[in-house]
Amino acid sequence: MLHKEKVPQSWTRKQTLVNAERYITEELKVYEEKILGAEDKILLLETSLFNDLAAGVTDMYSRYNTMPT
């Protein structure tokens, strides 16, 4: 890298590109981990909400079918 000596010591090299280097700071790393963790939590929450909705619909359908006509 042409200007490697200008990169602050607190930055960590993350990836080498064709004509460049990518760096990350500790602050960005923590933020990235929060975002990736949030995506997992969102998926779990969406799955739980969907399952609750499906169970509720099934329950209501069962009640509807057992009602006298």
Side-chain angles (χ1 to χ4, degrees):
M1 180 176 169
L2 186 60
H3 300 285
K4 191 173 186 176
E5 68 281 350
K6 294 182 181 180
V7 175
Q9 292 293 321
S10 61
W11 292 14
T12 305
R13 189 174 67 77
K14 182 172 181 162
Q15 182 179 9
T16 301
L17 304 172
V18 174
N19 289 320
E21 298 282 337
R22 287 184 62 200
Y23 289 86
I24 190 167
T25 63
E26 188 60 34
E27 181 182 7
L28 286 174
K29 186 176 181 181
V30 169
Y31 190 64
E32 177 184 43
E33 289 170 359
K34 284 182 183 180
I35 291 171
L36 295 175
E39 290 174 352
D40 293 339
K41 288 178 185 177
I42 288 169
L43 179 60
L44 289 173
L45 179 58
E46 286 178 347
T47 301
S48 176
L49 290 171
F50 178 80
N51 289 338
D52 291 348
L53 177 64
V57 168
T58 301
D59 183 50
M60 293 299 287
Y61 181 76
S62 296
R63 288 186 202 180
Y64 178 77
N65 278 342
T66 59
M67 291 176 61
T69 54

